[in-house]
Amino acid sequence: MELSWLEDLIALHSSRSFSKAAEIRHVTQPTLSRRIQSLEIWLGAPLIDRRVFPIVLTEQGKSFIKASEDIVQSLYRERDICRGVTRPVRGTMSFAMVQSIATDFFPDWIKLAESKIGPLKLSVASRSLHDCVQALIVDSCDLMLAYASKGSPQILDASRFQTLTVLEDLLVPVCAVDEHGSPAFALPEVLTTPIPYLAYSSYASLSGAVSSIIEAHARREMLDQCYESDLASALKSMALSGRGVAWLPHFSVKAEIADGLLAVAGSMRWAAPIQVNAYRAIETRSQDEEALWAWMQAHPLGRNAMLDGITGPAGAASAVDPRSSNFRRDYPSMSGRRTRRR
């Protein structure tokens, strides 16, 4: 028996879908199915009722899932102890999120939240999407922040986990500027010459959204992939150095666009809406967690103020609203206004 088999079962139980669980676990659906079958053979009992959808656990599965979660949680706790990683102290709200959210979004967002609900004791772990989901499932964190494409299916079982959109943003293509302040690598309406492309690794959380954009509007061979990383910050650094075009969340490049270090490389057809979602188990752990969740639900400002740095009334236009002046300023190529040459 392998630890990964237990993690597969936990992901399947949380998502109630083989395809969603395979995405969470970064494996193919047939691979996940084979590993679940191997676990069932090792256990000597069926764990999944495959006759219904969404999938449900058998009586043996319902008994075994709790033991699986306890085993995985205990093993990761002991691993942290061996590595010298301290666990959050009592009264601390713990978060798990991917690096770009942790560095480019979370600090100012939580500062805004604290200005409304009071100071919080916080612990933030920057992890891969898979590790973030795993941490939430085995109760190693209180809340998870993760990217989601607009309209994408839930990655966690709604009967066990709550989801709330805290930010709506755009995934935009950016590149360095030339001596005139224009994009060094412009994406035309129809690609005729290969463009150097800075890509996410296949298991990165934004990889799927970027692939959807490219598949809809370009042939793969017209993008000359010259670099790959699972970190948005690494792609951003390479874009700043003039190596090519990278797709990044607006909030992570807004300052560089305003300072003239980066430029949006194409029209709106090359962009896609994305969200930052918050996830938590239905069972609330603390008053602070409940207060933060209630603030996110009750104050739309907490969802879009970060984009503009505004503190105006709820309902103010988001920076990704094509009608807003901020959108026209940051995305001239997307709003029909030509980039001013320096």
Side-chain angles (χ1 to χ4, degrees):
M1 198 273 290
E2 299 180 11
L3 175 62
S4 61
W5 298 354
L6 299 182
E7 294 176 322
D8 291 340
L9 179 65
I10 292 170
L12 185 58
H13 174 52
S14 298
S15 63
R16 301 185 66 192
S17 162
F18 275 94
S19 60
K20 293 178 187 177
E23 182 180 351
I24 292 171
R25 298 288 291 145
H26 299 300
V27 297
T28 64
Q29 187 171 331
T31 297
L32 182 85
S33 181
R34 285 195 301 270
R35 297 199 318 206
I36 293 296
Q37 289 174 348
S38 296
L39 180 60
E40 290 175 319
I41 292 171
W42 178 85
L43 192 63
L47 298 172
I48 307 297
D49 186 346
R50 294 171 173 81
R51 298 170 300 175
V52 296
F53 183 84
I55 65 100
V56 295
L57 299 178
T58 62
E59 289 304 315
Q60 298 96 322
K62 292 175 183 177
S63 174
F64 188 68
I65 188 64
K66 178 57 178 173
S68 299
E69 291 173 340
D70 290 343
I71 290 169
V72 172
Q73 184 176 5
S74 296
L75 286 173
Y76 279 111
R77 182 184 297 112
E78 291 302 317
R79 185 191 67 174
D80 288 346
I81 292 173
C82 291
R83 292 179 175 181
V85 178
T86 57
R87 307 293 295 180
V89 299
R90 186 178 180 85
T92 298
M93 194 185 312
S94 59
F95 290 80
M97 62 193 76
V98 296
Q99 185 190 45
S100 57
I101 295 177
T103 57
D104 296 332
F105 171 72
F106 185 79
D108 288 337
W109 176 77
I110 200 67
K111 180 180 179 181
L112 179 63
E114 288 181 314
S115 72
K116 305 298 182 181
I117 65 175
L120 303 168
K121 293 182 179 180
L122 306 169
S123 171
V124 175
S126 177
R127 307 177 177 182
S128 68
L129 176 61
H130 162 258
D131 289 343
C132 288
V133 172
Q134 196 67 33
L136 186 64
I137 290 173
V138 302
D139 198 27
S140 291
C141 71
D142 297 312
L143 293 100
M144 177 182 78
L145 297 183
Y147 294 114
S149 299
K150 205 163 188 176
S152 60
Q154 292 282 356
I155 61 173
L156 293 167
D157 181 6
S159 68
R160 299 182 60 204
F161 298 95
Q162 292 178 306
T163 305
L164 183 64
T165 297
V166 297
L167 178 71
E168 294 185 357
D169 200 8
L170 277 180
L171 190 62
V172 294
V174 295
C175 64
V177 298
D178 61 19
E179 64 273 16
H180 303 293
S182 298
F185 306 102
L187 291 167
E189 292 302 300
V190 179
L191 281 176
T192 57
T193 303
I195 298 290
Y197 166 47
L198 309 173
Y200 289 100
S201 303
S202 59
Y203 54 85
S205 56
L206 290 173
S207 174
V210 175
S211 293
S212 296
I213 297 172
I214 294 172
E215 289 169 3
H217 302 298
R219 301 193 311 273
R220 278 283 180 182
E221 60 267 24
M222 299 312 296
L223 290 171
D224 181 16
Q225 182 175 324
C226 58
Y227 182 77
E228 178 181 302
S229 176
D230 60 330
L231 298 177
S233 59
L235 300 187
K236 179 178 173 180
S237 295
M238 293 297 283
L240 285 165
S241 70
R243 291 296 301 276
V245 174
W247 271 263
L248 295 164
H250 168 266
F251 66 76
S252 70
V253 293
K254 181 182 176 182
E256 288 77 11
I257 292 173
D259 292 340
L261 301 175
L262 290 175
V264 176
S267 65
M268 178 63 78
R269 73 196 300 266
W270 295 104
I274 57 170
Q275 300 169 337
V276 175
N277 285 351
Y279 303 84
R280 70 167 182 173
I282 287 179
E283 299 82 7
T284 303
R285 296 296 189 275
S286 69
Q287 290 183 345
D288 284 342
E289 180 186 329
E290 187 60 36
L292 178 61
W293 196 266
W295 174 78
M296 289 189 289
Q297 287 180 309
H299 296 83
L301 195 64
R303 299 189 181 98
N304 59 30
M306 277 300 307
L307 292 172
D308 284 342
I310 60 174
T311 55
S318 164
V320 297
D321 184 341
R323 298 168 296 179
S324 72
S325 60
N326 293 288
F327 183 93
R328 293 191 296 272
R329 178 197 66 206
D330 288 345
Y331 303 125
S333 62
M334 293 186 178
S335 57
R337 181 165 58 87
R338 294 182 60 84
T339 303
R340 180 179 296 175
R341 293 182 176 270
R342 294 178 178 176

